Structures are given as C-alpha cells and as structure tokens.
Amino acid sequence: MTRQRALILEIMRSTPLHLTADEIFAQARLKMPNIARGTVYRNLRLMEQDREVARLEMPAGPDRYDRTAAPHGHLYCDCCHSLTDIPVVGLVRELEAAIGTEVRSYQLTVHYLCPACRQQQAQ
Amino acid sequence: MTRQRALILEIMRSTPLHLTADEIFAQARLKMPNIARGTVYRNLRLMEQDREVARLEMPAGPDRYDRTAAPHGHLYCDCCHSLTDIPVVGLVRELEAAIGTEVRSYQLTVHYLCPACRQQQAQ
DNA sequence: CTAAATGCAAACTATTTGCAACGAT
DNA sequence: ATCGTTGCAAATAGTTTGCATTTAG
C-alpha cells in the first residue's frame, strides 16, 4: 500500500460519481503534483482485480470507475452521457438460476433519456 | 445502400458469432479485396444507429457486434473471453417499471467461467 | 448530375508498457 | 538489501477523420 494507492482510494471513496481514470488522475495531481498517469491506471487495474472498484465500459468515451458496494446497474443517458445507479434487486439470484452456475459479476447498462434531455427533445 | 454495406450486412447475418469490426473487415476483404477498414467502421456505426446491429463493449479487447433480434444479455467467460447469448425474459418490462420511463436499449454482460474453463481450473 | 459513400492515410484517444530510479518493508 | 512500485516517455490498440475520388440514386 503506497501513498499513491491510498490517495486513489481516498478519491474514489470521497465521491459518489463515476469518475474516469483521467478525472481521478487530475484530482490526484492536486494533492500529489507528480503522480503519474500510468500509476493511476496501474492501481485502478489492481483495485479492479481485488474488487475494490469496478470498471465500467462506457458506450462512448473512456471507462469509468465505481466504488463497488452492492451489485447494481447503471442508467446511461444517450444524450448527455450522465450515469446514475439503479439497484437491481435479485438479479444475480435470477441469473444464477437461469445460467445454472456461479455469476462472478455483471454489468448492466440501461440506455435511456434522462428527464432533462427528454424535456429538451420535447420542445 | 452500397455494395460495401450490403456485404457487411451479409457477413453479420451469416454467423451467430459476435464478430469484432476487424474480423468483419477481414471477412469482407475475402469478397471485396480493397474495401477499407474505415468503411467497415463507418457502416457498423450507422447500422448501430439504425438498430440493425448492436455494439457490445467488451471487458477486454475490441468491441463486438451482434445482429440484433430480441433483446438479450451475454455471458462472458473471464478466462477464455468467449461470449454467448442469454435470453433475459421480461427484463425490459421490469426495468421500465423500476425506472418509470422508457428504456431505449440495454447491455447486460454477465461474467462467469464457462464449463471448459471451470473444468481446467478444477484440475 | 449531385449528394453521399469510399479508399487511403494520417490523426487521435485511451490505455499499457519498458526501464531506470525510488521507497516500503 | 530487496523486491515491488513509481515517474516518465514511448509504444500500442482500437477507432475516427480529412480529403480527393468514386458511386448510387
């Protein structure tokens, strides 16, 4: 556990947002001006393997990271690209029953138009 | 509708596999030796917008394309990266009820170990 | 005829990696 | 002391784009 890694964890824990590696890097720079971008990517990958964070592949743009707690899905606005959590109760159980084997994890991304963007389109 | 686009559609329709843009490009080259990689990418993007195909963001490696039919999810093997369909009956309805607004589409990727890889790990 | 699509190559974005120097144990 | 981790810069992978040329309608 290096200072760099501790800082990255702290940043992840300090926000409910789904930050990109670069956003995390930018925040980290504020507190540790010569932390390297590579270090951030490396640690995020390790933390993903350790299941400390989950990497979210996005339909557009860079991956984002989620401080993992309970399994959940995401609502993705096709217009403004905002991302919000959705609890999907019982989905894992359902899936395991359907698949007949252990589910290691899942990623559910639901595309929609968020209220603000729907409003705009209506006008 | 150009010859190029028709060929890409034909390739997509001729296989149940989830090909990458580059795999589609390689197959296309066999029948049309100077079709350009850019053309394949451009058409796949258009076809995605027209909902003729669905682009699948993968946890590792390039995106893959799915000839869309009924909405469904995918089983992804964390070990050998194989990808197979899972019908997820009623998920859209469930989601719309939970979200309270129209779902445009969704991507569900379930991580697991496929039978072959599970076997190997056990040994 | 003309507007849109192509082939080509170069550009670009996101991410990974090699390596010498550094730091935690 | 030693082994993993860092910072840096260069490399890579996947995809997109600009532009002159071709093609479909």
Side-chain angles (χ1 to χ4, degrees):
Chain A
M1 174 62 72
T2 61
R3 290 184 313 122
Q4 288 82 349
R5 180 149 183 186
L7 176 56
I8 293 166
L9 256 177
E10 186 196 314
I11 292 169
M12 290 296 296
R13 288 192 181 140
S14 71
T15 174
L17 298 175
H18 304 94
L19 301 174
T20 65
D22 241 47
E23 286 165 350
I24 294 165
F25 172 61
Q27 292 216 17
R29 279 256 153 165
L30 298 177
K31 293 220 170 175
M32 196 182 285
N34 48 0
I35 189 172
R37 179 179 269 104
T39 300
V40 172
Y41 274 98
R42 263 186 297 236
N43 276 294
L44 287 171
R45 191 123 79 82
L46 291 171
M47 289 158 68
E48 185 197 357
Q49 281 163 23
D50 296 350
R51 312 245 174 166
E52 289 175 310
V53 301
R55 181 166 53 90
L56 308 176
E57 297 267 337
M58 290 291 106
D63 295 349
R64 301 189 197 180
Y65 287 86
D66 190 334
R67 51 204 191 121
T68 27
H72 59 273
H74 293 97
L75 274 176
Y76 175 80
C77 176
D78 279 325
C79 174
C80 71
H81 309 277
S82 68
L83 195 69
T84 56
D85 291 347
I86 19 170
V88 186
V89 288
L91 184 57
V92 172
R93 256 195 314 284
E94 244 177 78
L95 289 170
E96 287 191 338
I99 293 158
T101 178
E102 191 195 352
V103 165
R104 304 183 90 198
S105 69
Y106 68 86
Q107 191 185 339
L108 172 65
T109 308
V110 178
H111 292 241
Y112 83 139
L113 290 182
C114 74
C117 289
R118 205 152 5 103
Q119 187 85 53
Q120 282 205 328
Q121 294 227 336
Q123 284 170 13
Chain B
M1 174 61 73
T2 60
R3 292 183 312 122
Q4 289 81 349
R5 180 147 183 189
L7 176 56
I8 293 166
L9 256 177
E10 185 195 315
I11 291 168
M12 291 296 295
R13 289 193 180 140
S14 71
T15 173
L17 296 175
H18 305 93
L19 301 174
T20 65
D22 242 46
E23 286 165 351
I24 294 165
F25 172 61
Q27 290 215 18
R29 278 256 151 167
L30 299 177
K31 293 220 172 176
M32 195 182 286
N34 48 358
I35 189 174
R37 180 179 270 104
T39 300
V40 172
Y41 275 97
R42 264 185 297 234
N43 275 294
L44 286 171
R45 191 121 82 78
L46 291 172
M47 288 159 69
E48 185 196 357
Q49 281 163 22
D50 295 351
R51 311 247 176 166
E52 288 175 310
V53 302
R55 181 166 52 91
L56 309 175
E57 296 268 336
M58 290 291 107
D63 294 350
R64 301 190 197 179
Y65 288 85
D66 191 334
R67 50 198 192 127
T68 28
H72 59 273
H74 293 98
L75 276 176
Y76 174 79
C77 176
D78 279 326
C79 175
C80 72
H81 309 278
S82 67
L83 195 70
T84 54
D85 291 346
I86 20 173
V88 186
V89 287
L91 184 57
V92 172
R93 257 194 314 282
E94 245 176 78
L95 289 169
E96 287 192 338
I99 294 157
T101 179
E102 190 196 351
V103 166
R104 303 184 91 199
S105 68
Y106 68 86
Q107 190 183 341
L108 172 64
T109 309
V110 178
H111 292 242
Y112 83 138
L113 291 181
C114 73
C117 290
R118 205 156 0 106
Q119 187 86 50
Q120 282 205 327
Q121 292 226 338
Q123 283 169 15

